Structures are given as structure tokens and as C-alpha cells.
Amino acid sequence: KSGGHRVTLTLIAKAKPDGYSLGGVTDSSIVLSPHIEKINYKPLDYAFFCQYGKLDFGVYVLPDSPFKTFKDMVEYARANPNKLTMGITEVNSGNHIALMALCQMEKININFIPFMGASPTTMALLGGHVMVASSATSGFARQVKSKTVRLLAMMSDERMDEFPDVPTLKELGYPSLVFQSWYAMMGHKDLEPSIIKKLEDGCRKAMESPAFIKLSTEIAAYVKKPLFGEDLKKALAQRLENNGKIIKD
């Protein structure tokens, strides 16, 4: 359905609880949107049954950038208020919120320039229109592997297998700046437990297949320990609460 994940969640809330109308979204519509815009659904009022992938956010530059480390970038921003231009995927995206929190912590000012998605953000960096860029892995994973961009830091909870030499913001002294976007599937809140169990088992079996693991690894979306059912719902509730605190600040 066109219109984004908020449309999907609205439709699933109104669907029959028969297990045949299901939704697949990134969790920004669940753990971020409620804090920054008016929504017409209850973010946790669903039967969540599968986390089938994730998007990690990163901060990256051109190979010849004078910023060799994330600290170099922060120090430049401190010495040159509002002169550091950073491309972001959209206003109030997870990476934008994390970097605004960074500015608050470090008492610096960054000139954020939003683009319509991860690929346009990377193209702006490659074209020399911004000094730094931040997006999800979908915007830079292939470019990092081809060495057309260089990663300074990741916003994941631990270093990624694909980029083992790149530190996380958590490692660099910002433990609260762990921002990821999860791919999740859900159904109507009144789904019968037997239906939820069948959906969970089906997803688990598919995600253990070599074909799924190969594809999700290639696009840097693989989750080593995916969450299912109530464990997924509890984790989403915790992310919703944590994001609320950061966004309020």
C-alpha cells in the first residue's frame, strides 16, 4: 500500500483477525512516529510475531575526507559552528534524532540537510554537496565495500560483522545513541494464539534457510538473534519508551 507504514498499521488494525491480513513495516512507525506526529493507531496494539531484519544507521564520508575519525568530525563542528554540512535521509528519522542528541551532548551545531531516502543522501555526498552523510545501511553498504565512501561510526548496539573495524557510537562514549530500524511483521491484536504460533514457526523456519540468510547478509539486514511473539512486543515497548525520553530532550 502506498502512503507508508502508518497506512499499513491503520489497515491491519481494521482488518479481520483471521491471520490472512498481515503487515510488514519498519518499527519507526511504532517506536518513533508516536512521539513526533499525530497517529490514528495504537502503536503496540497488535499481535507482533516476527522480527525478520534490521537496518543499521551509520555516519560516513568520502575516502579523502579530512575526518579520519568520528571525533575529528565532532571537533570540527565544535570549532566551526553550523559549517559542518551533513546529509540525512529525512527529518526526524532515527539517525537524525540520534545526531541531534549528539549535538546536545557535545554542545555543537551541525547543519543537517534532508534528502528523500538513503540513496539520494549518499549521492549528495558522492557529488560533494555535503561534507558528511548519515543513512541506513541500504544507502552505504555497497559503497563501503567498493571503497567509494568511508564509515566513521555505526549506531548499532555492537559492531557489525560486515564492518568489524568501524566503532559504534556506544563504544565512542554515547551509550544512549543506539538507533536501529527493525523489520517486523504483525497482525490484528485479536489473533488467536494458535494462529500467532503458526506464523511464528513459519517465519522462524524460513529465516533459518540458507537462501534467506544469504540474501539478508548481502544487504546487511541479517539479525543474529531475531525476536518473536511476546519477546518482540516487549522489546518494541522498551524502544518506544527510550525514544520518547531522547526525543523529549
Side-chain angles (χ1 to χ4, degrees):
K1 292 289 184 178
S2 60
H5 299 149
R6 293 179 293 281
V7 173
T8 299
L9 289 169
T10 301
L11 290 171
I12 295 304
K14 296 177 179 178
K16 291 181 180 179
D18 57 9
Y20 291 99
S21 294
L22 306 172
V25 302
T26 58
D27 71 344
S28 59
S29 50
I30 299 162
V31 302
L32 285 178
S33 295
H35 298 300
I36 58 180
E37 60 191 326
K38 185 178 180 179
I39 59 175
N40 56 359
Y41 56 87
K42 296 180 180 179
L44 297 172
D45 217 12
Y46 296 90
F48 296 96
F49 57 87
C50 177
Q51 175 201 12
Y52 64 95
K54 48 87 178 160
L55 283 172
D56 287 289
F57 297 111
V59 178
Y60 49 103
V61 294
L62 293 176
D64 60 354
S65 168
F67 307 138
K68 302 305 178 187
T69 65
F70 190 80
K71 184 179 178 181
D72 289 345
M73 183 199 78
V74 172
E75 292 305 319
Y76 176 88
R78 195 187 315 281
N80 302 273
N82 285 318
K83 288 188 177 181
L84 179 68
T85 55
M86 179 176 294
I88 55 170
T89 48
E90 60 179 311
V91 173
N92 289 332
S93 55
N95 53 325
H96 184 209
I97 290 167
L99 291 164
M100 285 193 290
L102 170 80
C103 289
Q104 186 182 53
M105 294 173 183
E106 292 286 1
K107 297 180 173 56
I108 59 176
N109 292 307
I110 293 175
N111 184 7
F112 293 107
I113 303 173
F115 294 91
M116 295 296 288
S119 293
T121 302
T122 301
M123 291 300 293
L125 176 69
L126 293 173
H129 304 295
V130 293
M131 299 166 69
V132 188
S134 177
S135 77
T137 43
S138 56
F140 63 78
R142 289 185 174 88
Q143 286 79 6
V144 172
K145 291 175 182 178
S146 64
K147 297 185 179 181
T148 53
V149 305
R150 177 164 50 82
L151 268 171
L152 296 181
M154 294 296 299
M155 300 180 190
S156 46
D157 56 348
E158 57 184 26
R159 292 196 184 197
M160 295 182 65
D161 290 346
E162 294 88 348
F163 316 118
D165 297 330
V166 181
T168 65
L169 292 186
K170 184 177 178 181
E171 286 180 73
L172 296 176
Y174 311 104
S176 64
L177 300 187
V178 176
F179 274 78
Q180 293 175 307
S181 188
W182 293 357
Y183 292 118
M185 283 192 278
M186 78 293 298
H188 192 279
K189 64 176 182 177
D190 294 331
L191 283 183
E192 292 181 9
S194 61
I195 294 176
I196 297 173
K197 178 70 164 54
K198 183 172 286 190
L199 291 167
E200 282 183 35
D201 290 346
C203 285
R204 196 186 303 268
K205 184 177 179 180
M207 291 169 61
E208 290 173 351
S209 70
F212 182 89
I213 294 172
K214 181 176 183 292
L215 175 61
S216 57
T217 300
E218 284 176 358
I219 61 174
Y222 181 64
V223 180
K224 293 180 184 177
K225 298 177 181 179
L227 298 171
F228 299 90
E230 283 301 309
D231 290 337
L232 173 57
K233 188 167 187 175
K234 289 177 184 176
L236 290 170
Q238 186 63 56
R239 285 159 65 82
L240 178 65
E241 181 181 348
N242 291 345
N243 288 343
K245 295 174 183 175
I246 292 174
I247 291 168
K248 185 178 180 181
D249 288 342

